[in-house]
Amino acid sequence: MSSDDRPIVRVRDLIKHFPVRGGVLNRIVGNVHAVNGVSFDIRRGEVLGVVGESGCGKSTLGKVLIRLTEPTSGTVEYGGTDITRLGHAEMLPFRRRMQIIFQDPYSSLNPRLTVRKLLREVVRLHGVVPDDHADDYITELIAKVGLRQDAADKFPHEFSGGQRQRIGIARALAVKPEFIVADEPVSALDVSIQAQVLNLLMDLKDEFGLTLMFISHDLKVVEHFCDRVLVMYLGHVVEEVPCDDLLLRVKHPYSKALLGANPIDEPPPKGSPRRTLTVLKGDVPSPFNPPKGCPFVGRCPIAMPRCQAERPPLVPRPTTNALTGHPATHTTSCWAVED
C-alpha cells in the first residue's frame, strides 16, 4: 500500500465508557457505554459522515478521535502514529494537524476576546506564522470564511449564529490542519444559513485538501456532503455505506428508519403510491444497561430470536463509490439482513 492509499486515520476497537458514581461513598456503580468497540478508516481527502439519533455516541466519538476526551481503550492512529499513547508534549504537534468545529459556536468562543485576539492566540500557540505577519494572516483568514474585515475587532456576541460558525471555522483553519471533525456544525442554524456554511466547508475542503469527519443527525445533508457514512446506534456502528445512493444501498432496519423519517424533496406524481413513514416503536435502551444482543433489537421490526442473544458482527461487502470511483466497503451489522 502506497503512502497515498494509506488511511490518514485508523480507529480500532475504540471504547469510551463514562463512570457513574453513587451511594454514600460515591463509588463507581456502573458505566455509561458511549462508544462500544468502533473500528473504521478515513482516507486522505475523504468526507466521512457519522449519523444517528441524539445520544448515540457520535459527538463523543469525534472528541475521542482527536483526544479532547480520553478513550477507555482501543487505538487511534493518525498518519501511522498511535496518538492514544502520547503525552501532552508529544501530542502538541498533532493538535495542529487535527481540529474541531463545534455544534454551538457561541459556547466555544471566548466572549471576552475579539475575533482578532482569539485567532492571534491560536496562531501564536502553534507558531503558524511570525508575529509580525499575524495580522495579515488573520485578515486573510477572515476573508476566506466570507466575513467583512471589520469583523476582526468585534466580540462574539455581536455576530449572528451563522457568522459565529464562520469564526469557528476560521479558528479551525488558522493552524493549517489536515483533518477536521465537524460536530453538527449546521444543526443550530436556519436552513438558508445551513446551505451557506455547507458550501463554505466544501469550498475550503477543495482549496486546502482537507479530510473531514462530518457528524450530523440529518441523512439528507450527509448524502449531499459526504463520500461515506457510518450509522451509529447506542454507541455501535450498525452500518457503513457509500453515500452515492443511500436510498438503494442501505440494508440495516435502523438506517432505513432514519431515511424514512426524512422529508421528501418533492411530492410523488399523481396516482403514484406515497412513501410510507417509518415510525420506530419502543424506547432507546439505556446506555447504562445496554441489551446483551443486538443494540437495536427492542425497536427492530424484523428482529429474530437470535438477535436477543447474540450481537451481530459487521459483515463487509466490497463495492465502489459511484461518485468518487474509489473502492468502498458496505458493512452491515444485522442477523436478519444476513439471513
Side-chain angles (χ1 to χ4, degrees), residues 119-129 131 134:
L119 293 176
R120 187 181 287 138
E121 275 195 348
V122 177
V123 171
R124 280 181 177 172
L125 174 65
H126 292 280
V128 181
V129 295
D131 286 348

Side-chain angles (χ1 to χ4, degrees), residues 82-293:
D82 182 4
I83 64 171
T84 57
R85 303 179 185 277
L86 300 182
H88 177 73
E90 298 169 307
M91 188 65 197
L92 192 59
F94 290 92
R95 299 282 184 206
R96 177 172 173 176
R97 298 168 67 184
M98 303 184 296
Q99 287 292 302
I100 187 169
I101 301 168
F102 292 98
Q103 177 179 1
D104 182 0
Y106 190 67
S107 64
S108 62
L109 300 174
N110 190 329
R112 299 184 178 183
L113 296 182
T114 63
V115 173
R116 187 185 306 277
K117 290 181 179 179
L118 186 149
L119 293 176
R120 187 181 287 138
E121 275 195 348
V122 177
V123 171
R124 280 181 177 172
L125 174 65
H126 292 280
V128 181
V129 295
D131 286 348
D132 56 342
H133 290 89
D135 281 339
D136 291 338
Y137 182 65
I138 289 167
T139 298
E140 182 183 346
L141 270 177
I142 290 172
K144 287 286 184 190
V145 298
L147 292 173
R148 293 168 46 176
Q149 288 307 310
D150 60 357
D153 298 307
K154 293 182 178 180
F155 291 89
H157 72 270
E158 298 180 77
F159 296 96
S160 67
Q163 290 172 325
R164 283 196 289 263
Q165 195 57 283
R166 289 172 186 266
I167 297 168
I169 294 171
R171 182 177 59 182
L173 289 174
V175 295
K176 301 179 180 178
E178 302 169 325
F179 174 62
I180 293 179
V181 174
D183 185 8
E184 301 205 41
V186 297
S187 63
L189 306 177
D190 293 338
V191 174
S192 60
I193 307 301
Q194 286 184 12
Q196 294 175 20
V197 173
L198 286 172
N199 288 334
L200 172 64
L201 283 172
M202 187 60 75
D203 292 342
L204 293 172
K205 173 197 173 293
D206 294 338
E207 181 176 351
F208 294 102
L210 298 172
T211 304
L212 296 175
M213 173 188 273
F214 186 82
I215 298 169
S216 178
H217 60 271
D218 189 340
L219 265 173
K220 295 293 286 185
V221 171
V222 166
E223 185 174 21
H224 167 74
F225 189 70
C226 301
D227 302 310
R228 186 164 48 99
V229 61
L230 303 180
V231 182
M232 290 190 69
Y233 186 82
L234 207 66
H236 297 269
V237 173
V238 297
E239 189 159 24
E240 176 189 343
V241 58
C243 286
D244 50 339
D245 197 343
L246 284 180
L247 192 62
L248 295 178
R249 283 188 183 269
V250 294
K251 303 294 183 186
H252 197 281
Y254 178 62
S255 305
K256 290 184 175 182
L258 287 180
L259 271 176
N262 275 311
I264 58 176
D265 294 328
E266 56 185 43
K270 189 175 181 181
S272 13
R274 296 177 64 88
R275 189 184 70 180
T276 304
L277 176 64
T278 304
V279 179
L280 294 175
K281 298 180 180 179
D283 297 321
V284 180
S286 168
F288 182 75
N289 185 26
K292 178 182 177 182

Side-chain angles (χ1 to χ4, degrees), residues 57-98:
K58 54 188 186 295
S59 291
T60 300
L61 175 63
K63 291 173 183 175
V64 171
L65 204 65
I66 63 173
R67 279 193 62 188
L68 282 184
T69 301
E70 294 297 324
T72 301
S73 64
T75 61
V76 178
E77 290 185 10
Y78 187 88
T81 301
D82 182 4
I83 64 171
T84 57
R85 303 179 185 277
L86 300 182
H88 177 73
E90 298 169 307
M91 188 65 197
L92 192 59
F94 290 92
R95 299 282 184 206
R96 177 172 173 176
R97 298 168 67 184
M98 303 184 296

